[in-house]
Structures are given as C-alpha cells and as structure tokens.
C-alpha cells in the first residue's frame, strides 16, 4: 500500500494569509486528489492534481483560491489562499497507485483560520 | 446528480453486539462503492470496496457489505463489534465519468460509539 505523508499536520493561520500543504507519496502513483473536510462534515473533492499540467477543479473550487501543483508522480502541493475562517477544515491528499485499484488517503492537515 | 446518503448520523451499540450501518446511493450506472473508516486523529482507511461480481463483499477487521441494486444500498455489517471499532464511517461512490477509483463522492458519515 502507498504511504502518504502530509506537511504540516496542523496549523493555525491568520485571516488573509496563505498556507501551502505538501503531499508526498513513497511510490509513483497515477492519480492524486485533494479533498476538504469541514468541521463535522463529510469529504468534498477539491480537485484532481495532474502531473505537469493544471489541476482539474470541481464545481465551487477555483484555481485562484486553491492553486495546486504536481511536479512529479510522487508529490503535490495545495495552497489555500487569502484564508478566511470558513477555510478552517481538514485537507486530505489521496492517491491511486500504479498497480492497485485502491484509493489511499493521507493523514490530513488540520487548518484553523482565526 | 450523484449522491450518497447515510441516514444514521450517530449509532451506539454494545460491545459484542452486531452492527449495520446504512448507505444509499443515487447513481446512473453500475456504481463503484466503498466504505472507509476514520478514527480520531487518523486518516481514512479503506474497509472494503465493490466494483462488480459477488454482491457480498468481505473487508478488513471483520466487516462485510452487501450491494443491493434494487434498493440502491450498500450496507456495512459486522457480527460482533469491538470497542476499537468506535470511529467515523463513510460510504462513498465513484463519481460518474471517472475511473473505478477516481473521484469519490462521500456520504455524511456515521459516528459509531461502542458501549462497554
């Protein structure tokens, strides 16, 4: 199974600032995704991170707010820009491995915006 | 639009008792269905999945789920619950147009509490 790490594991940020979350996988994967889990809520897909090209965003999410990079097959970043308290959530990275049909999730990054 | 409904927000069972968590989905074709568990402070762990074939699926930790197309359901079951099963459980369906393990649509989750 893929081992996924995320940095930071948690952070407390001020309104108006930006935070970049990193996702690192221990093996090459075909697909990488970013999800958001708002307090007491379920998971919502933000975007699919595409290697070497622009991410594919879901309805309600835009690149200016959530820029995503994926420079190679094992690494991706999600930036939460110009944060407001409504952005307080757990952000999770997930991947689908090259030789598996299972989607694995990272431990998540717990973000609190004051 | 695709959706997943978990009717029970919170369930409490006694240790050793049987468990059934309900999941209903709305989907235009044959769905890809998943159950994940999220323990406090932990990431999501896949319990089991259904893509095709036998409608009764066995998973890890003694869990199983049954796909019933006529009822649009994929209920999770365990014959005897352990205290360590206390967690948040999410049902998910593979989004239409994606690969079988691509974009997922999640239900609201069911919180399981286990009484000693």
């Amino acid at each position: 199974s893929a081992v996924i790490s995320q940095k930071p594991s948690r952070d407390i940020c001020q309104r108006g600032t930006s935070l970049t979350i990193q996702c690192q996988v221990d093996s090459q994967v075909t697909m990488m995704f970013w999800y958001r889990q708002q307090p007491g809520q379920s998971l919502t897909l933000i975007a699919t991170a595409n290697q070497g090209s622009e991410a594919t965003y879901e309805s309600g999410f835009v690149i200016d707010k959530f820029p995503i990079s994926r420079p190679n097959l094992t690494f991706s970043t999600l930036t939460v820009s110009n944060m407001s308290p409504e952005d307080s959530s757990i952000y999770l990275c997930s991947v689908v491995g090259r030789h598996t049909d299972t989607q694995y999730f990272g431990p998540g990054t717990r973000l609190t915006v004051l | 639009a695709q959706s997943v409904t978990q009717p029970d927000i919170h369930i409490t069972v006694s240790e050793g008792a049987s468990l059934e968590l309900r999941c209903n989905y709305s989907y235009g074709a044959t769905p890809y269905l998943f159950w994940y568990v999220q323990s406090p402070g932990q990431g999501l762990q896949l319990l089991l999945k259904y893509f095709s074939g036998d409608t009764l699926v066995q998973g890890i930790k003694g869990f199983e789920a049954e796909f019933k197309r006529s009822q649009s359901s994929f209920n999770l079951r365990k014959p005897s619950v352990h205290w360590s099963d206390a967690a948040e459980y999410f049902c998910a369906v593979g989004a239409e147009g994606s690969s079988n393990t691509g974009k997922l649509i999640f239900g609201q989750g069911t919180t399981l509490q286990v009484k000693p």
Side-chain angles (χ1 to χ4, degrees):
Chain A
S1 64
V3 177
I4 307 167
S5 60
Q6 285 186 233
K7 290 182 183 179
S9 58
R10 59 177 61 226
D11 206 342
I12 301 174
C13 300
Q14 296 298 318
R15 181 196 299 261
T17 62
S18 298
L19 176 71
T20 295
I21 301 168
Q22 298 179 4
C23 176
Q24 178 73 55
V25 192
D26 68 342
S27 59
Q28 293 185 344
V29 295
T30 54
M31 306 179 80
M32 296 183 78
F33 305 92
W34 287 97
Y35 287 82
R36 180 176 73 181
Q37 186 178 20
Q38 293 177 299
Q41 302 293 316
S42 185
L43 284 82
T44 301
L45 179 66
I46 297 172
T48 303
N50 300 309
Q51 190 215 347
S53 64
E54 193 172 287
T56 304
Y57 290 85
E58 297 301 305
S59 176
F61 298 96
V62 295
I63 188 172
D64 290 344
K65 176 66 176 178
F66 297 102
I68 289 171
S69 76
R70 187 181 173 191
N72 56 51
L73 291 175
T74 64
F75 184 78
S76 177
T77 66
L78 167 74
T79 299
V80 186
S81 303
N82 188 25
M83 289 184 285
S84 66
E86 292 70 35
D87 294 319
S88 297
S89 298
I90 298 173
Y91 292 86
L92 298 105
C93 169
S94 75
V95 305
V96 176
R98 278 190 151 184
H99 305 293
T100 178
D101 55 5
T102 300
Q103 188 165 155
Y104 297 101
F105 284 81
T109 295
R110 183 180 295 273
L111 170 63
T112 302
V113 184
L114 303 177
Chain B
Q2 296 163 268
S3 64
V4 178
T5 302
Q6 294 179 244
D8 305 305
I9 296 174
H10 193 110
I11 283 184
T12 300
V13 300
S14 298
E15 190 168 17
S18 63
L19 171 71
E20 182 170 32
L21 302 182
R22 295 183 292 165
C23 173
N24 294 97
Y25 65 89
S26 171
Y27 193 76
T30 300
Y32 301 121
L33 295 161
F34 308 83
W35 274 100
Y36 284 86
V37 60
Q38 186 178 39
S39 299
Q42 303 290 314
L44 283 162
Q45 182 180 23
L46 179 69
L47 286 175
L48 47 78
K49 60 193 176 190
Y50 171 78
F51 290 165
S52 64
D54 192 345
T55 56
L56 185 62
V57 180
Q58 300 298 318
I60 62 171
K61 303 185 178 186
F63 285 94
E64 66 177 26
E66 186 171 13
F67 169 59
K68 293 186 177 180
R69 184 188 300 275
S70 61
Q71 299 177 17
S72 297
S73 69
F74 188 58
N75 295 347
L76 182 71
R77 301 193 294 249
K78 186 170 185 178
S80 178
V81 171
H82 187 262
W83 64 266
S84 61
D85 293 324
E88 185 87 13
Y89 290 80
F90 292 97
C91 181
V93 63
E96 203 159 335
S98 67
S99 69
N100 61 356
T101 54
K103 300 183 291 186
L104 297 179
I105 297 172
F106 284 82
Q108 287 299 103
T110 298
T111 301
L112 172 64
Q113 184 179 1
V114 181
K115 294 189 302 185

